[in-house]
Amino acid sequence: MARDPETIEREIEQARSALVATLDQLGTKANPAKLVDSAKTGLRAKLDEPKVKYPLIGGAVLIGVLLIRKLLK
């Protein structure tokens, strides 16, 4: 059973509109600025956790003390 050309054109236009919407969503999700902001937010959240934050501070203090000791000798 053959379909009429108007129905086929309508279906093509609907498919085209759906494709445009999908490409817009992909473009928004793959935006480099958004990816960088997301990575920064995740890193900051991880560094604010006490079990990560305090060992890093302790390591930095230890390195500082060792450097000062090395410079004073």
Side-chain angles (χ1 to χ4, degrees):
M1 181 170 172
R3 296 184 297 171
D4 64 289
E6 292 172 358
T7 303
I8 294 171
E9 285 179 14
R10 221 174 316 126
E11 290 174 356
I12 290 172
E13 190 56 42
Q14 288 173 349
R16 204 177 273 150
S17 296
L19 180 60
V20 167
T22 301
L23 289 175
D24 285 345
Q25 289 175 353
L26 288 174
T28 301
K29 286 182 180 179
N31 184 349
K34 272 192 167 186
L35 293 173
V36 169
D37 287 341
S38 175
K40 274 193 213 176
T41 302
L43 182 61
R44 282 191 181 138
K46 190 69 174 171
L47 290 176
D48 282 342
E49 292 178 12
K51 66 181 180 180
V52 175
K53 184 179 188 177
Y54 296 125
L56 285 176
I57 292 171
V61 168
L62 178 62
I63 290 172
V65 168
L66 292 175
L67 286 173
I68 290 172
R69 221 174 114 194
K70 180 83 171 177
L71 291 173
L72 293 178
K73 283 190 175 187

